[in-house]
């Protein structure tokens, strides 16, 4: 599996955030957490890590997930909902283009990869403040070629769909209670964690292992009880910029 990541820029303390954090972002600490994350990806079995250099003109550039969606061997390059993030896609596009078939989208469509959750041959896409109907329509058109169907999910009260849920294997999602419309994942096995552990609902799983946000032991125990080996990753600095674990990579499975 290939994992595309991007280093933390010196300007990371200016990354977008819905609310100013109580303590400013510590860029060196963020870099250490990012390095631990990359080591965690290797532990998961991501054997080919492509680490793109940071660009200080793009404070959010380490959140590569938002720049592209990869499913069943093809990639859709996103058009991030935040205008300040649109230039981030070029470097990720170049990294993907030598590996998979790449498709693009044009305005007025907007889509953030953080709104896209792939489960088998279903791609759930959150309609959020960042992802609009045109973005979802473009994803539906592109991924239909590889037999992936798109299911829209309304996102309210969260930045992205995957701010409150993420896939655990091919048939299960982890989500925090009460954060999604009740029928959002009809027919899918759901592992529910408490709402106060919402940050742990964004995890990265592969094989039989999962990276889980540190500081949520009850949620980690639930995931371990479902048969997963856990490695905790400190995400404190990423969270100050509304980021989490999935945001930090684009995985090409
Ligand atoms: C933003 O507001 O766009 C970034 N500060 C955080 C993006 C987090 N990305 C993600 O959840 N996929």
């Amino acid at each position: 599996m290939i994992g595309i990541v991007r280093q933390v820029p010196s300007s990371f303390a200016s990354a977008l955030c819905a609310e100013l954090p109580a303590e400013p972002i510590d860029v060196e600490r963020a870099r250490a957490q990012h390095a631990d994350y990359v080591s965690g990806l290797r532990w998961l079995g991501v054997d080919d890590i492509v680490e793109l250099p940071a660009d200080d003109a793009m404070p959010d550039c380490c959140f590569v997930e938002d720049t592209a969606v990869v499913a069943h061997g093809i990639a859709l390059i996103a058009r991030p909902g935040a205008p300040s993030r649109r230039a981030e896609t070029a470097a990720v596009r170049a990294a993907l283009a030598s590996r998979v078939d790449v498709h693009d989208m044009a305005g007025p469509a907007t889509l953030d990869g953080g709104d896209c959750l792939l489960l088998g041959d279903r791609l759930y896409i959150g309609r959020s403040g960042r992802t609009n109907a045109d973005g979802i329509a473009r994803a539906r058109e592109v991924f239909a070629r590889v037999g992936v169907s798109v299911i829209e999910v309304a996102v309210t009260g969260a930045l992205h769909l995957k701010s409150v849920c993420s896939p655990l294997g091919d048939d299960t999602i982890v989500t925090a209670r009460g954060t999604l419309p009740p029928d959002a994942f009809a027919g899918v096995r759901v592992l529910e964690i408490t709402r106060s552990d919402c940050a742990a609902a964004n995890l990265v799983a592969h094989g039989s292992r999962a990276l889980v946000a540190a500081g949520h032991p009850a949620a980690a125990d639930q995931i371990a009880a479902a048969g997963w080996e856990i490695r905790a990753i400190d995400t404190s600095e990423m969270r100050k910029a509304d980021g989490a674990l999935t945001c930090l990579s684009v995985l090409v499975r």
Side-chain angles (χ1 to χ4, degrees):
M1 182 158 66
I2 304 166
I4 299 173
V5 298
R6 193 164 189 180
Q7 291 165 348
V8 174
S10 303
S11 56
F12 187 52
S14 307
L16 296 177
C17 51
E19 281 175 28
L20 272 186
E23 294 286 324
I25 290 175
D26 179 331
V27 177
E28 284 318 309
R29 194 161 175 218
R31 286 185 168 142
Q33 292 175 354
H34 190 267
D36 189 38
Y37 175 82
V38 171
S39 135
L41 289 180
R42 289 206 176 86
W43 176 78
L44 287 183
V46 181
D47 44 9
D48 184 2
I49 303 241
V50 180
E51 189 153 13
L52 303 174
D55 184 329
D56 288 343
M58 303 174 191
D60 285 288
C61 69
C62 57
F63 298 126
V64 281
E65 172 180 59
D66 293 320
T67 63
V69 185
V70 181
H72 294 215
I74 65 170
L76 173 62
I77 306 304
R79 184 167 180 271
S84 69
R85 298 198 57 196
R86 296 208 176 125
E88 293 173 30
T89 58
V92 177
R93 187 185 198 289
L96 283 168
S98 57
R99 295 169 170 89
V100 293
D101 193 12
V102 163
H103 302 266
D104 294 288
M105 64 169 61
T110 64
L111 180 135
D112 278 14
D115 277 316
C116 300
L117 185 158
L118 184 69
L119 201 64
D121 56 7
R122 280 163 296 169
L123 181 62
Y124 294 86
I125 305 188
R127 187 156 166 185
S128 69
R130 298 287 178 88
T131 296
N132 66 17
D134 290 328
I136 296 172
R138 177 63 178 146
R140 185 170 278 125
E141 174 184 63
V142 166
F143 289 110
R145 328 168 178 220
V146 287
V148 170
S149 55
V150 164
I151 300 160
E152 181 176 321
V153 180
V155 174
T156 50
L159 175 63
H160 290 131
L161 176 63
K162 280 191 289 188
S163 305
V164 295
C165 61
S166 53
L168 187 65
D170 278 341
D171 62 354
T172 303
I173 66 143
V174 176
T175 186
R177 191 163 301 132
T179 55
L180 287 169
D183 57 349
F185 288 95
V188 172
R189 190 184 307 162
V190 174
L191 193 161
E192 244 185 16
I193 61 177
T194 61
R195 193 157 186 161
S196 56
D197 280 329
C198 188
N202 180 288
L203 54 77
V204 180
H206 180 62
S208 59
R209 294 178 162 180
L211 305 181
V212 178
H216 300 279
D221 283 352
Q222 273 181 269
I223 296 158
W228 293 79
E229 192 182 349
I230 306 291
R231 178 157 159 179
I233 304 282
D234 190 354
T235 58
S236 68
E237 303 314 295
M238 307 302 166
R239 279 162 71 173
K240 290 177 186 173
D242 301 332
L245 293 170
T246 64
C247 320
L248 296 172
S249 58
V250 172
L251 299 178
V252 184
R253 296 176 190 261

